[in-house]
Amino acid sequence: MTETALQDSGTQEKVASRREQRAEPLYVGRIRVYPRKVRGTLRRFKSAMLVLLLAIYYAAPWLRWDRGPGAPDQALLIDLPGRRAYFFWVEIWPQEVYYLTGILVLAALGLFLATSLFGRVWCGFTCPQTVWTDLFMWVERTIEGDRNARMRLDKSPLSLGKVAKKIAKHGAWLVIALLTGGAWAMYFTDAPTLVRQFFTGGATVTVYFFVGLFTFTTYLLAGWAREQVCTYMCPWPRIQGAMLDEDSLNVTYRAWRGEPRGKHKAGTSWEGHGDCVDCFSCVAVCPTGIDIRDGAQLECIGCGLCIDACNEVMEKVGRPRGLIDFDSARNIALQSAGKPPVAWRPFRLRTIVYVTLLFLVAAGVFAALGTRSTLDINVLPERTPLFVLLKDGSIQNAYTIKILNKQRQAREFTLAVKEHPGARIEIVGADPAGVLAAKPDHVATYRVLVSLPRAEVGEDSEAMTFVLTDKSSSDTARHQTVFRGPDR
Amino acid sequence: MTKREIDSISGQETTGHEWDGIKELNHPLPSWWLYTFYASILVAVIYWVLMPAIPWFNGHSNGILGYSQRASLDHVMEAATAAQAQYIARIDQAPSLAAIRADADLFNFAQAGGRAVFNENCAACHGLGGSGRPGGFPTLADDDWIWGGTLDDIAQTVRHGIRNADPDSRQSVMPNFGTDSILTAPQIADVAEFVLSLSNRSTDTAAAGRGKTVFADNCAACHGDNGQGKPELGAPNLADAIWLYGDGSKLAIMAQVTKPKMGVMPAWGGRLSEAQQRMVTVYVHSLSGGQ
């Protein structure tokens, strides 16, 4: 047997022992992951994203936005009891929840685009699970030490020092989890009030329940479950393959360069020896505990920490960086076949389609937001009776009209029918007659009776458009409905 | 399991099952998943103990919490009744029906409550939404009122009804002009022609002219000189487009003159509470916009 073959069989044994470990009866025991600290460009980028995203998350509920008297002054607020959502200058009513649909579609398309370009960068850098897990790992490392120290600590018998460290770690985790859960609740109620009420015991049971729930889930998911969430719970790894093609950049081990791998003695020749020195650095730093050299796999979240770790080693042994790097499947295939790599192609049919759709949906959402009306009218024609005959022989239909006054001031309106300027309109209970009043930021409901001379009622039913006009600003809203007549 | 068999290619353990030489690998579940499953089973067992769950021949297990949907519905209904109580009290104590209508809050409540009362008690004859019914059940959603359409008129009709045994019931009787031989058949035909002329539908001017005299002598006392009706007597307007009995044709008018039909409505004073009567009155009044 040659030396390489021996090393190969050694690796295989390791892999086999891992599989042995997995092949327990009934269920798999979790193989605990102890990620090692790593330095490098991607680590710095990941940390920067962590700080940025957490800063946004914790600070956002404290931003104020003056909406005038009677309205909440929180810039971002989802007021469930009040049935309103506030996003800076935008106020969304439940009827307008389609804006949310638009934003979700945009988010999905953005995710598709990013994945088809750079693989699972969402998972690696911006997913809340990743961000909080990374933060919890940083706390863990700070208190318990790096990989080896933590492994030693977990194997060591119970001692005062061990207990102290564990209590400190879980305590810190719980504090972060509480802050996380608390901040979540602040998006749904006034933040300063909530904080005061929370600590003086004045908050509602609902608030305590949800803060408790989110504290618990944060602690559980970021502290304990970690990569298990990505592997077992998250549906995204299972569908992301559909967004990838051979030009997508993925975290990839360049096997054509690294193999045959093996230990290398400094000063000896690299002849017949790949660049991979089998140091297991890439495995030691991986937050999901995988070996990237096994190829693309479901558990990889594309954070690229293995790239940083490998680059460090490559510099030490004097080989070029980039043994593990973001690379396309096309280049890997080319270079494995001994051909030169091609330039990365960001513009492909699928990315162009994603960008186009993204642009169209964004344009639609912004156009809808830009032309959002502060006045809306809903009309429900009465169905029992569909129509009545009046004394003078004319036909009367009844309608329930809902006026959605989305302005923060009381308004008064007049109502007309577009098709029949001579239609008799009676508003039941309106005071003064003919004027429809609506309170600020409220829905006003009126019963309206419309009558037309028999001669003007043509077929069985005809289109009728209500035109609601603001008395002071001549702002109008229209709603098309039907006027029903006797079928003869 | 007798023997653990490891698949040589994947290194995975097999389940030991084999079909036509194909062996199934054992892909065990993660432990957290299993524990979640066990916890669910535990929750189910706790639920059986706490809540009504297990059917038996003559009922079901009651559960130690004694929960019952029926009881909880009663609870909800009680709470709803309690929440309505203050409105009911305000409607009871309102100085007048007009005051209820003028108060936006009370008006809304009375309309909703009145609709419920109406659908339960009145809709059988007058139709949902007061749409009326052919054969003598007047439409309440139009602008024609036989006994008057003000709030007080409607309240009186609701409380005491029409042509029943209630001493304050609205009463009026139209004579059987034909069967009691008060008018002859030609006279009835003439007066019907005249009634048609009131709404410009007469085709025989000579007959209408003769009928005018018959009308003045026999009908005008109740229906008015021009057939415009007298609500205080419950005499319908004969000059409008609305007909209670029949379709307003000459034949239908002659039939009504010969042997009139007259509607009866029960008195609701003893059946509905004061507040219910007030609410249904406000509701009926609002159906047509009110008089």
Side-chain angles (χ1 to χ4, degrees):
Chain A
M1 244 198 267
T2 65
E3 203 178 327
T4 339
L6 264 175
Q7 279 161 353
D8 269 355
S9 75
T11 318
Q12 273 168 8
E13 268 166 36
K14 270 180 197 157
V15 173
S17 79
R18 247 175 98 82
R19 286 181 179 140
E20 278 287 275
Q21 223 178 325
R22 279 185 180 166
E24 284 176 19
L26 197 58
Y27 62 81
V28 198
R30 179 182 179 195
I31 303 164
R32 191 172 279 278
V33 181
Y34 295 91
R36 206 188 67 203
K37 188 178 176 178
V38 61
R39 279 187 204 84
T41 322
L42 288 159
R43 178 62 260 184
R44 276 200 300 280
F45 179 64
K46 196 165 151 79
S47 304
M49 288 304 287
L50 180 139
V51 171
L52 175 73
L53 293 172
L54 289 180
I56 292 173
Y57 175 76
Y58 288 114
W62 296 91
L63 291 176
R64 299 290 107 180
W65 194 270
D66 186 17
R67 293 192 180 82
D73 64 349
Q74 187 159 317
L76 295 169
L77 179 67
I78 297 163
D79 180 6
L80 291 177
R83 306 285 191 275
R84 298 283 182 274
Y86 303 92
F87 301 98
F88 299 97
W89 63 96
V90 182
E91 179 184 332
I92 292 181
W93 284 39
Q95 290 89 339
E96 301 167 314
V97 80
Y98 47 78
Y99 289 126
L100 180 66
T101 313
I103 289 164
L104 289 177
V105 171
L106 284 180
L109 287 172
L111 204 51
F112 295 173
L113 178 63
T115 305
S116 71
L117 288 175
F118 309 112
R120 291 175 67 185
V121 283
W122 162 262
C123 302
F125 299 96
T126 46
C127 173
Q129 174 63 22
T130 280
V131 170
W132 265 277
T133 301
D134 209 22
L135 178 67
F136 273 46
M137 281 178 178
W138 175 80
V139 169
E140 189 172 65
R141 191 175 295 128
T142 309
I143 293 172
E144 295 186 350
D146 207 0
R147 177 178 160 91
N148 293 338
R150 291 206 303 277
M151 290 166 90
R152 262 201 316 277
L153 183 72
D154 279 0
K155 280 200 185 113
S156 70
L158 209 59
S159 69
L160 209 60
K162 182 174 177 175
V163 171
K165 276 183 177 170
K166 291 285 174 194
I167 287 176
K169 179 179 85 172
H170 289 282
W173 280 359
L174 281 168
V175 169
I176 296 171
L178 178 66
L179 289 173
T180 308
W184 185 252
M186 289 176 197
Y187 285 90
F188 295 86
T189 179
D190 185 58
T193 317
L194 179 81
V195 171
R196 202 177 321 113
Q197 286 177 340
F198 189 84
F199 290 107
T200 53
T204 59
V205 177
T206 317
V207 166
Y208 286 113
F209 173 78
F210 278 105
V211 170
L213 182 70
F214 293 123
T215 303
F216 173 70
T217 48
T218 307
Y219 173 72
L220 186 74
L221 296 183
W224 292 89
R226 297 191 173 177
E227 81 285 350
Q228 307 245 313
V229 175
C230 312
T231 313
Y232 295 109
M233 291 165 75
C234 180
W236 182 232
R238 279 150 230 277
I239 50 174
Q240 48 134 358
M243 280 108 229
L244 297 170
D245 60 21
E246 54 187 358
D247 288 302
S248 306
L249 292 184
N250 268 316
V251 176
T252 314
Y253 167 63
R254 290 178 170 135
W256 55 268
R257 197 187 121 184
E259 298 298 322
R261 67 181 81 155
K263 299 277 179 245
H264 178 78
K265 210 166 179 183
T268 59
S269 163
W270 286 86
E271 197 65 41
H273 195 301
D275 282 353
C276 176
V277 295
D278 211 12
C279 64
F280 278 93
S281 276
C282 54
V283 178
V285 299
C286 180
T288 61
I290 57 164
D291 189 341
I292 192 63
R293 296 172 300 174
D294 291 345
Q297 49 208 290
L298 183 142
E299 291 90 338
C300 176
I301 57 168
C303 65
L305 292 186
C306 49
I307 298 176
D308 283 344
C310 189
N311 280 342
E312 209 174 13
V313 172
M314 287 299 108
E315 268 169 19
K316 262 187 211 152
V317 299
R319 303 299 293 178
R321 295 158 64 99
L323 176 57
I324 306 174
D325 208 345
F326 280 99
D327 206 349
S328 66
R330 182 190 298 284
N331 271 346
I332 295 297
L334 281 174
Q335 294 191 299
S336 300
K339 292 174 190 155
V342 290
W344 179 52
R345 293 169 53 221
F347 302 106
R348 283 118 58 192
L349 181 61
R350 69 171 61 215
T351 57
I352 291 167
V353 168
Y354 290 148
V355 168
T356 312
L357 286 175
L358 205 57
F359 180 77
L360 288 177
V361 176
V365 170
F366 283 109
L369 271 176
T371 57
R372 179 181 180 272
S373 153
T374 56
L375 174 65
D376 209 347
I377 172 176
N378 287 336
V379 177
L380 295 98
E382 188 122 328
R383 290 183 293 182
T384 49
L386 283 172
F387 63 89
V388 290
L389 183 69
L390 297 186
K391 279 197 285 197
D392 61 2
S394 54
I395 306 293
Q396 176 177 284
N397 278 207
Y399 300 87
T400 301
I401 287 194
K402 290 179 187 288
I403 300 169
L404 284 66
N405 176 16
K406 298 175 189 171
Q407 278 188 2
R408 292 256 161 220
Q409 65 198 51
R411 297 164 88 180
E412 289 192 335
F413 304 96
T414 55
L415 189 70
V417 173
K418 194 179 117 195
E419 290 84 354
H420 303 275
R424 251 192 354 252
I425 301 176
E426 191 185 345
I427 299 149
V428 178
D431 185 39
V435 174
L436 302 101
K439 285 189 251 180
D441 199 50
H442 259 81
V443 180
T445 305
Y446 285 99
R447 186 177 151 83
V448 170
L449 309 172
V450 179
S451 50
L452 291 178
R454 181 71 184 86
E456 280 190 40
V457 185
E459 289 301 309
D460 157 39
S461 74
E462 58 179 274
M464 174 164 278
T465 311
F466 281 104
V467 183
L468 188 72
T469 312
D470 188 326
K471 281 182 77 182
S472 49
S473 72
S474 67
D475 192 3
T476 60
R478 284 152 196 277
H479 195 288
Q480 193 177 348
T481 179
V482 289
F483 187 93
R484 297 208 174 262
D487 188 18
R488 53 188 153 113
Chain B
M1 210 182 287
T2 49
K3 182 171 155 278
R4 287 178 60 180
E5 189 187 357
I6 307 293
D7 176 54
S8 57
I9 296 162
S10 65
Q12 284 262 3
E13 192 186 330
T14 71
T15 56
H17 307 153
E18 185 175 335
W19 297 269
D20 296 344
I22 300 168
K23 285 175 186 171
E24 188 188 13
L25 293 183
N26 182 17
H27 280 286
L29 292 161
S31 53
W32 66 261
W33 196 101
L34 249 118
Y35 291 135
T36 310
F37 179 57
Y38 295 150
S40 308
I41 294 174
L42 188 68
V43 168
V45 173
I46 294 170
Y47 191 91
W48 292 344
V49 176
L50 295 180
M51 305 288 278
I54 305 163
W56 196 238
F57 294 108
N58 53 351
H60 55 81
S61 63
N62 285 324
I64 58 174
L65 288 186
Y67 173 82
S68 135
Q69 280 193 344
R70 200 175 286 274
S72 114
L73 174 70
D74 286 347
H75 213 71
V76 169
M77 294 298 284
E78 269 169 38
T81 314
Q84 289 170 358
Q86 55 142 335
Y87 279 102
I88 299 283
R90 277 169 67 194
I91 284 176
D92 257 337
Q93 287 150 19
S96 68
L97 289 161
I100 295 173
R101 200 171 188 291
D103 183 328
D105 244 16
L106 279 191
F107 181 46
N108 273 335
F109 185 85
Q111 272 192 303
R115 169 178 286 131
V117 175
F118 186 91
N119 288 349
E120 224 171 278
N121 300 283
C122 319
C125 292
H126 287 287
L128 284 173
S131 56
R133 210 172 272 263
F137 303 100
T139 303
L140 303 178
D142 62 20
D143 60 347
D144 195 17
W145 296 94
I146 299 171
W147 290 95
T150 66
L151 281 167
D152 289 331
D153 286 337
I154 298 171
Q156 160 74 19
T157 307
V158 168
R159 183 184 304 270
H160 300 292
I162 313 270
R163 298 185 190 95
N164 60 41
D166 186 304
D168 292 323
S169 156
R170 294 188 181 280
Q171 299 287 348
S172 70
V173 177
M174 176 163 162
N176 296 337
F177 288 101
T179 54
D180 286 353
S181 305
I182 304 171
L183 294 176
T184 63
Q187 278 177 313
I188 291 173
D190 288 347
V191 85
E193 197 64 44
F194 174 72
V195 168
L196 287 178
S197 79
L198 292 174
S199 43
N200 300 320
R201 293 181 297 141
S202 170
T203 50
D204 185 343
T205 340
R210 292 194 300 275
K212 184 172 182 167
T213 329
V214 181
F215 189 88
D217 293 347
N218 298 280
C219 318
C222 292
H223 288 287
D225 291 339
N226 302 312
Q228 74 274 23
K230 281 189 185 163
E232 59 275 25
L233 299 173
N237 186 336
L238 303 177
D240 64 15
I242 298 171
W243 298 91
L244 185 54
Y245 295 103
D247 52 3
S249 65
K250 188 173 176 185
L251 266 171
I253 295 167
M254 283 167 68
Q256 185 67 6
V257 176
T258 306
K259 188 174 178 8
K261 294 173 183 168
M262 280 164 290
V264 171
M265 171 170 156
W268 294 94
R271 310 187 193 201
L272 300 177
S273 73
E274 183 64 31
Q276 281 178 317
Q277 290 177 53
R278 288 185 150 201
M279 289 194 295
V280 83
T281 300
V282 169
Y283 170 69
V284 167
H285 183 257
S286 76
L287 282 178
S288 64
Q291 213 175 34

